[in-house]
């Protein structure tokens, strides 16, 4: 099945990580491929190798991507991540494949929607695919079996509180 976690509220990546934990508990093999992220300080990056059955790979710079004007390195890393995702999906060795922030990578022009749709055509029958990130394209949500939109009602950021270790990263 294809699941999409989108919306402007907090909890998309953490929902995917929660599902990963649950799947690993049942002995499933899970891989999370993160786009537009490249920072070892994330708690999930630090713990990944200690969770049996879980793997995490990052393809991005620690800096923000400029919308409409991505750096050459941002584009290169996104392409590398997408090629890696294609290889992982076609090999069919994982039960759950999480494409974290793929919606954003499409939205920021790093990855073509058409290439993602084509990749989804090739997903092995038993594999679960999770795509996270804001601004999921309608063509993807139409295709999905499950779509959750997390809506921001309140966030401490509005009070000037920045990302907190262990909570936001
Ligand atoms: P998380 O990784 O905490 O589950 P997310 O995946 O839903 O969040 P993203 O859109 O990927 O959110 O944003 C990444 C960063 O921005 C995270 O540090 C996250 O906690 C924070 N964030 C998410 N939603 C908001 C918001 N509405 N306002 C401010 N910061 C937010
Ligand atoms: Mg996220």
């Amino acid at each position: 099945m294809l699941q999409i976690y989108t919306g402007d509220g907090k909890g998309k990546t953490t929902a995917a990580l929660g599902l990963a934990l649950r799947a690993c508990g049942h002995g499933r093999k899970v891989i999370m491929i993160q786009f537009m992220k490249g920072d070892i300080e994330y708690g999930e990056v630090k713990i990944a190798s200690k969770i049996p059955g879980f793997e995490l790979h990052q393809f991005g710079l620690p800096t923000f991507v400029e919308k409409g004007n991505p750096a050459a390195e941002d584009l290169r890393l996104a392409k590398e991540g997408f090629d890696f995702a294609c290889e992982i999906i076609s090999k069919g060795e994982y039960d759950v494949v999480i494409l974290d922030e793929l919606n954003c990578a499409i939205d920021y022009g790093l990855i073509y929607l058409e290439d993602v749709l084509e990749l989804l055509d090739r997903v092995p029958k038993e594999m679960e695919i999770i795509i996270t990130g804001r601004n999921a394209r309608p063509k993807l949500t139409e295709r999905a079996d499950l779509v959750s939109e997390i809506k921001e009602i309140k966030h401490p950021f509005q009070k000037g509180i920045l990302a907190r270790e262990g909570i936001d990263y």
Side-chain angles (χ1 to χ4, degrees):
M1 297 231 178
L2 171 63
Q3 301 191 28
I4 297 181
Y5 306 152
T6 191
D8 63 356
K10 174 187 162 64
K12 301 170 292 290
T13 298
T14 44
L17 285 166
L19 182 139
L21 188 67
R22 177 176 282 174
C24 290
H26 284 287
R28 307 281 205 283
K29 278 190 76 179
V30 180
I31 186 164
M32 179 180 252
I33 300 168
Q34 297 188 319
F35 294 91
M36 298 168 71
K37 282 180 181 170
D39 192 340
I40 50 159
E41 288 307 310
Y42 280 97
E44 55 266 39
V45 175
K46 291 181 158 192
I47 201 77
S49 63
K50 299 191 182 90
I51 303 172
F54 185 57
E55 251 183 67
L56 196 156
H57 299 261
Q58 292 191 317
F59 294 90
L61 299 171
T63 48
F64 283 113
V65 179
E66 200 182 319
K67 199 167 186 175
N69 187 26
E73 186 62 0
D74 292 319
L75 286 163
R76 193 191 66 75
L77 285 165
K79 189 185 176 324
E80 197 179 306
F82 190 70
D83 289 346
F84 179 70
C86 291
E87 195 185 316
I88 289 293
I89 288 171
S90 63
K91 275 190 185 159
E93 288 167 0
Y94 293 82
D95 302 298
V96 181
V97 177
I98 302 166
L99 304 170
D100 186 42
E101 314 302 349
L102 182 62
N103 289 331
C104 303
I106 296 168
D107 198 36
Y108 276 65
L110 300 177
I111 288 172
Y112 292 117
L113 172 66
E114 290 67 27
D115 292 341
V116 176
L117 293 168
E118 206 177 276
L119 172 64
L120 292 173
D121 286 338
R122 304 197 303 266
V123 174
K125 215 166 176 295
E126 300 305 321
M127 188 183 272
E128 191 91 9
I129 304 283
I130 320 286
I131 297 177
T132 83
R134 292 162 187 235
N135 301 320
R137 291 290 170 88
K139 281 212 166 124
L140 278 180
T141 54
E142 279 159 24
R143 201 58 174 262
D145 301 283
L146 181 156
V147 181
S148 287
E149 182 174 10
I150 301 184
K151 179 176 160 33
E152 184 196 277
I153 306 291
K154 264 188 186 184
H155 192 289
F157 186 72
Q158 296 160 347
K159 293 194 276 196
I161 297 168
L162 301 179
R164 293 174 298 153
E165 181 186 291
I167 303 291
D168 296 303
Y169 65 91

